[in-house]
Amino acid sequence: MKEKTDLRVEIVGEGSLREMCEEGILDLGLSGHVQLCGARSHDDVKRKLSNAGIFIQHSQTASNGDQESQGISLLEAMAAGCPVVATRVGGVAEAVVHGATGLLVEPAASAGLASALEELLAAPKRLEIMGKAGRMRAESEFSVRAMADHYARIYGDLVERAISVR
């Protein structure tokens, strides 16, 4: 990736890899650009997302060893209007429409992640368009209202089938 001296990365969350991340940040001389924020309140995360330029979810597998399901943080980022760069694992590709609401890369492909970030950072207008598209998708497909409507349709179909069987 071309050097971007104004780039700032905030990593939110806490886990067993923190010490390794801290060492990597120091070894690479990135202390002025990368901050490990640790665990944060829901309100603080919402505030950070509303100010973020890009949301990155670089998962290989979920912490339980299964593929990443969909990740509430990914949907929250989309709802906040953040364009997304995420690895194509589990249900992530169900939320992120590649090229429209963000970019999907293969897991464990750091070169692909770097390339996707470079591509988006070079296109501010595209970031804006993807952020708006992500917000619209989150609201239309994954909001509480959208999920309630979906379940209502399923229950309605089940009731119709039960009645027609009689």
Side-chain angles (χ1 to χ4, degrees):
M1 181 180 277
K2 295 176 187 163
E3 189 171 319
K4 292 220 25 109
T5 58
D6 62 340
L7 189 65
R8 179 167 169 75
V9 175
E10 292 186 352
I11 300 173
V12 177
E14 198 62 56
S16 60
L17 299 177
R18 183 180 181 100
E19 187 175 315
M20 185 176 75
C21 289
E22 289 171 341
E23 291 172 6
I25 291 166
L26 288 173
D27 290 347
L28 294 169
L30 297 174
S31 297
H33 300 282
V34 179
Q35 178 183 3
L36 298 178
C37 299
R40 290 287 187 248
S41 70
H42 182 69
D43 288 340
D44 192 32
V45 170
K46 283 178 71 172
R47 184 185 56 74
K48 286 186 175 300
L49 288 172
S50 69
N51 293 319
I54 299 174
F55 177 83
I56 302 166
Q57 183 167 327
H58 190 258
S59 300
Q60 292 182 33
T61 58
S63 59
N64 64 1
D66 293 335
Q67 292 285 53
E68 184 82 30
S69 57
Q70 198 166 47
I72 190 72
S73 61
L74 177 72
L75 297 176
E76 288 174 336
M78 290 173 62
C82 288
V84 172
V85 175
T87 46
R88 191 185 311 271
V89 294
V92 170
E94 293 174 31
V96 179
V97 178
H98 181 74
T101 63
L103 297 178
L104 294 170
V105 299
E106 295 307 314
S110 56
L113 177 68
S115 177
L117 288 171
E118 189 171 58
E119 179 182 332
L120 290 182
L121 289 170
K125 186 66 177 166
R126 187 171 182 207
L127 283 171
E128 182 182 336
I129 291 167
M130 283 183 165
K132 288 178 182 177
R135 179 181 292 125
M136 289 173 50
R137 181 162 174 74
E139 290 172 3
S140 68
E141 300 293 324
F142 302 104
S143 67
V144 172
R145 167 54 67 198
M147 298 307 287
D149 289 347
H150 176 73
Y151 286 125
R153 283 191 300 275
I154 290 171
Y155 293 141
D157 290 346
L158 290 172
V159 169
E160 284 183 30
R161 288 181 191 167
I163 291 172
S164 68
V165 169
R166 290 182 174 184

